[in-house]
């Protein structure tokens, strides 16, 4: 077996693939997140993807709790005994790759078709889906968002696909000297006693930006298209409602969803956040930054 260790959002995970395969040829975006085995005495999550093709086909698929088609392919999540099954069909009528995850999200096994030219994408998608839930008990949330870094802080932009998250991130980079992209699709947020921190990840959509970097959260804006530029600050309860749709995780499982909500509540209490109604122009970036900084100033005064 070929055992590999990675650190995602400051959490160690283990990935096992068959001998003779190169994990970085399969998933080049993971190269920056590789760590030595000595750093991973007790990985939080382990995926054994060394099973032969078809090894999990006999597992019965029960109630389907989620079914989507997105950049990760065609995904179907269903209950199976005391765990969950994830079936990934990366292209229409292509081979189906299957992963079984224990309900505690500490370990998983996978059966992949290694001759599929998209097998690396399927393996990456499995890890993305599993980590989005496995890391939650550690205070880590996975977001569908674009994130930039400015003055040693990270700013995230949320919204449904096609809203303009990436466009707004690009506007910040144009408007502010030294502003750079941290992740363009799937940043993680770590919520700790000393605050919230945004982490780069091996998943960045169509924009290659795979940075193993952690920055304090500066603020969050939920992007909405509008014929004007206006930033509306949100209260704690409203922050929760604004962030929840962009959180990745298994929301059909009561226990898993409850844990996610606990972490999201803690984040909502400290995150400077607002709704950004905007045009796709540089002025929008200026309005958004000013709105977030006003919240930061009020929070600082309240803590004095």
């Amino acid at each position: 077996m070929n055992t590999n260790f990675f650190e995602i959002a400051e959490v160690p995970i283990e990935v096992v693939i068959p001998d003779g395969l190169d994990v970085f040829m399969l998933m080049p975006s993971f190269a920056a997140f590789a760590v030595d085995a000595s750093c991973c005495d007790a990985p939080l999550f382990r995926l054994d993807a060394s099973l032969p093709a078809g090894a999990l086909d006999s597992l019965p698929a029960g109630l389907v709790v989620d079914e989507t088609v997105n950049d990760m392919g065609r995904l179907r999540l269903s209950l199976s005994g005391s765990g969950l099954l994830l079936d990934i069909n990366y292209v229409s009528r292509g081979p189906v790759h299957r992963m079984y995850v224990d309900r505690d999200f500490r370990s998983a096994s996978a059966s992949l078709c290694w001759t599929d030219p998209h097998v690396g994408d399927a393996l990456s998608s499995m890890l993305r889906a599993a980590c989005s839930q496995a890391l939650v008990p550690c205070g880590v949330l996975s977001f569908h968002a674009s994130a930039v870094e400015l003055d040693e802080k990270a700013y995230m932009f949320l919204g449904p696909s096609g809203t303009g998250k990436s466009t707004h991130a690009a506007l910040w980079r144009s408007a502010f000297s030294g502003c750079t992209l941290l992740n363009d699709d799937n940043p993680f947020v770590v919520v700790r006693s000393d605050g919230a921190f945004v982490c780069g990840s091996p998943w960045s959509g169509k924009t290659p930006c795979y940075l193993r970097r952690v920055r304090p959260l500066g603020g969050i804006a939920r992007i909405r298209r509008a014929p004007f530029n206006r930033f509306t600050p949100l209260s704690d309860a409203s922050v929760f409602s604004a962030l929840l749709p962009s959180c990745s995780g298994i929301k059909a499982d009561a226990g898993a969803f409850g844990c996610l909500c606990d972490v999201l509540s803690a984040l909502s209490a400290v995150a400077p956040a607002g709704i950004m109604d905007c045009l796709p122009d540089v002025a929008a970036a200026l309005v958004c930054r000013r709105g977030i900084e006003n919240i930061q100033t009020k929070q600082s005064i309240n803590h004095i």
Side-chain angles (χ1 to χ4, degrees):
M1 295 190 297
N2 182 350
T3 303
N4 304 270
F5 297 94
F6 305 97
E7 189 176 79
I8 309 297
E10 303 183 310
V11 177
I13 68 169
E14 179 181 353
V15 180
V16 179
I17 60 175
D19 283 331
L21 296 177
D22 185 336
V23 73
F24 300 117
M25 290 291 290
L26 292 166
M27 302 187 300
S29 65
F30 277 68
F33 300 85
V35 294
D36 189 80
S38 61
C39 303
C40 296
D41 292 335
L44 174 84
F45 174 78
R46 182 179 190 269
L47 171 62
D48 182 356
S50 66
L51 277 64
L56 300 177
D57 288 354
S58 60
L59 291 178
L63 176 68
V64 175
V65 296
D66 191 23
E67 191 165 12
T68 58
V69 178
N70 54 32
D71 63 307
M72 296 193 294
R74 298 173 182 270
L75 283 72
R76 172 179 288 186
L77 185 68
S78 57
L79 301 178
S80 180
S82 60
L84 293 147
L85 282 177
L86 177 67
D87 291 321
I88 296 179
N89 186 8
Y90 202 78
V91 293
S92 180
R93 292 188 291 275
V96 176
H97 309 277
R98 171 168 281 194
M99 177 175 68
Y100 175 80
V101 188
D102 292 339
R103 191 61 68 90
D104 63 1
F105 295 96
R106 296 299 301 272
S107 64
S109 54
S111 172
L112 296 99
C113 177
W114 296 104
T115 58
D116 178 6
H118 299 285
V119 67
D121 297 315
L123 179 59
S124 177
S125 296
M126 286 177 172
L127 286 167
R128 177 177 174 178
C131 286
S132 68
Q133 187 59 58
L135 273 59
V136 174
C138 295
V140 180
L141 296 174
S142 167
F143 279 91
H144 178 47
S146 186
V148 298
E149 179 184 343
L150 176 63
D151 297 334
E152 299 297 317
K153 292 185 178 180
Y155 298 84
M156 292 203 312
F157 310 119
L158 316 178
S161 296
T163 302
K165 300 182 294 296
S166 296
T167 297
H168 195 75
L171 292 172
W172 273 58
R173 302 199 310 273
S174 296
F176 308 121
S177 176
C179 184
T180 59
L181 188 65
L182 179 58
N183 187 274
D184 203 32
D185 186 62
N186 190 198
F188 284 70
V189 176
V190 181
V191 185
R192 305 192 310 228
S193 59
D194 57 340
F197 300 82
V198 182
C199 308
S201 83
W203 306 283
S204 189
K206 297 178 181 179
T207 305
C209 185
Y210 313 115
L211 302 175
R212 188 179 161 204
R213 187 175 296 167
V214 181
R215 292 290 181 264
L217 173 65
I220 302 173
R222 189 161 188 85
I223 305 299
R224 298 193 307 201
R225 292 181 180 179
F228 51 83
N229 292 320
R230 181 180 64 201
F231 182 89
T232 305
L234 296 172
S235 62
D236 290 359
S238 298
V239 172
F240 183 96
S241 298
L243 301 189
L244 180 59
S246 297
C247 281
S248 301
I250 299 174
K251 298 171 184 176
D253 181 283
F257 184 59
C259 186
L260 184 151
C261 288
D262 289 343
V263 179
L264 186 58
S265 294
L267 173 61
S268 300
V270 299
I275 301 295
M276 184 64 212
D277 296 296
C278 59
L279 293 160
D281 58 20
V282 171
L286 301 175
V287 171
C288 185
R289 184 182 183 185
R290 184 164 58 247
I292 290 174
E293 288 179 342
N294 287 339
I295 300 175
Q296 293 172 338
T297 300
K298 291 179 181 178
Q299 288 181 339
S300 297
I301 293 174
N302 290 336
H303 285 118
I304 294 176

